[in-house]
Amino acid sequence: MPKNLSVESGTLLLNQTIVPFVVIRSVKRKRTIGFKIDNQQGLVIQAPLRTSLKELKKMAQSQAKWILKEYAAMVHLEKTSAEKKLVTGELVPYLGKHYPLQVHGGLHRSETCCLADNQVHVRIPQGLPENKQRHWVLCRLSRWYREQAEVVVKQRLQVWVEVSGLKPSSWRITSAMRRWGSCSTENRICINWRLIFVSLELIDYVIVHELCHIAHKNHSRAFWARVEEILPDYRYREAELKQQVMHFA
């Protein structure tokens, strides 16, 4: 291994949950320490070369709430998608429809996952062992879903901010396990990336619902009146959303 790079792995105990981790130290990182959740490695910690493991574990403990939420979401995704083989011909959800999956060998510089010709295409490395193909497809597909959620929510949020006159202080995509969306007391809006599975009319309902919480922090009559003013058919959309299951498939 190059002298300017070191890799170390182990497990962390965060609030009685064991989380596997990998530390990647590099001279290219001068000061910042980054945390991310990987489907295969668990918690990935990127840090400057000379950062001690003790210091990194201490920082991870301070970020335990975020780490556990993201790790739980990843584990849940793995479990709830277990019934899917993720092979060519299988149907996968996207914006309220189901599209045939096409898995191609021969990964190159083009997109590893995309929607084209009414099919979802995923490319995998040539010669990838069969027992690793499903995991590769799952990782690429879930990453693509999150990327698409970011794009779609940004577009729809811009539309409904203009229509409603209600503007959040900030917004972000999350991996919440029980909520499609939320609005904080500081008017920060969070939208669940799994909304990318449902139709645009349901995505719009969640966005409008959370925008209305900027004006009304509860579910009072005034709140619902504001929702209805913007979306007269909100009751239908709400009922439809309740039929949706918050999981991969």
Side-chain angles (χ1 to χ4, degrees):
M1 183 177 297
K3 293 182 179 180
N4 61 356
L5 181 71
S6 74
V7 179
E8 185 176 1
S9 62
T11 58
L12 276 172
L13 183 62
L14 301 176
N15 295 343
Q16 300 184 335
T17 299
I18 297 175
V19 178
F21 73 85
V22 173
V23 175
I24 302 175
R25 299 183 181 89
S26 171
V27 294
K28 292 182 179 180
R29 295 187 77 94
K30 301 301 181 183
R31 296 181 180 179
T32 60
I33 295 173
F35 296 93
K36 67 177 183 179
I37 299 297
D38 179 82
N39 295 66
Q40 191 168 12
Q41 297 174 305
L43 174 64
V44 177
I45 307 173
Q46 297 173 308
L49 189 62
R50 298 187 181 280
T51 312
S52 70
L53 184 59
K54 182 178 180 180
E55 181 181 351
L56 293 175
K57 286 184 174 181
K58 185 177 180 181
M59 289 193 67
Q61 290 290 343
S62 70
Q63 300 292 319
K65 184 177 180 180
W66 178 87
I67 291 170
L68 289 174
K69 182 176 72 173
E70 295 297 315
Y71 183 69
M74 184 272 291
V75 171
H76 178 76
L77 179 63
E78 290 276 7
K79 287 181 178 179
T80 55
S81 62
E83 70 273 16
K84 282 194 172 292
K85 297 179 181 179
L86 298 180
V87 295
T88 292
E90 194 169 26
L91 297 178
V92 293
Y94 180 66
L95 290 179
K97 298 180 180 180
H98 283 78
Y99 295 88
L101 180 65
Q102 291 292 325
V103 180
H104 308 273
L107 183 65
H108 50 71
R109 291 184 179 181
S110 65
E111 294 178 289
T112 58
C113 188
C114 68
L115 175 64
D117 302 321
N118 285 317
Q119 298 178 98
V120 174
H121 301 264
V122 180
R123 292 190 176 276
I124 63 176
Q126 194 70 41
L128 185 70
E130 188 173 344
N131 62 347
K132 294 184 178 181
Q133 290 181 11
R134 183 187 178 282
H135 182 76
W136 179 281
V137 173
L138 176 62
C139 290
R140 271 49 189 181
L141 190 58
S142 59
R143 181 186 302 171
W144 179 73
Y145 277 138
R146 286 171 169 81
E147 291 170 352
Q148 296 307 303
E150 191 88 31
V151 172
V152 171
V153 169
K154 181 179 181 180
Q155 292 173 344
R156 303 311 297 168
L157 188 59
Q158 289 173 344
V159 169
W160 292 109
V161 164
E162 185 174 344
V163 169
S164 68
L166 299 167
K167 186 176 182 180
S169 58
S170 63
W171 71 277
R172 65 188 179 97
I173 296 295
T174 67
S175 299
M177 301 304 298
R178 297 182 180 180
R179 291 184 176 184
W180 292 112
S182 64
C183 178
S184 73
T185 54
E186 295 80 20
N187 298 331
R188 292 193 293 265
I189 286 180
C190 295
I191 301 293
N192 195 318
W193 69 265
R194 293 175 184 82
L195 274 175
I196 201 64
F197 301 148
V198 306
S199 65
L200 278 177
E201 67 176 5
L202 299 188
I203 294 174
D204 285 348
Y205 167 70
V206 173
I207 290 173
V208 169
H209 184 112
E210 302 311 331
L211 284 175
C212 287
H213 276 311
I214 294 174
H216 306 279
K217 298 303 182 187
N218 50 32
H219 290 102
S220 62
R221 289 184 179 180
F223 167 81
W224 290 114
R226 189 65 182 273
V227 174
E228 188 171 21
E229 180 184 342
I230 301 169
L231 292 176
D233 67 342
Y234 84 88
R235 290 183 178 84
Y236 162 76
R237 301 189 194 214
E238 183 184 31
E240 284 293 304
L241 187 64
K242 287 180 179 179
Q243 301 303 312
Q244 305 300 317
V245 181
M246 195 180 292
H247 65 159
F248 176 82

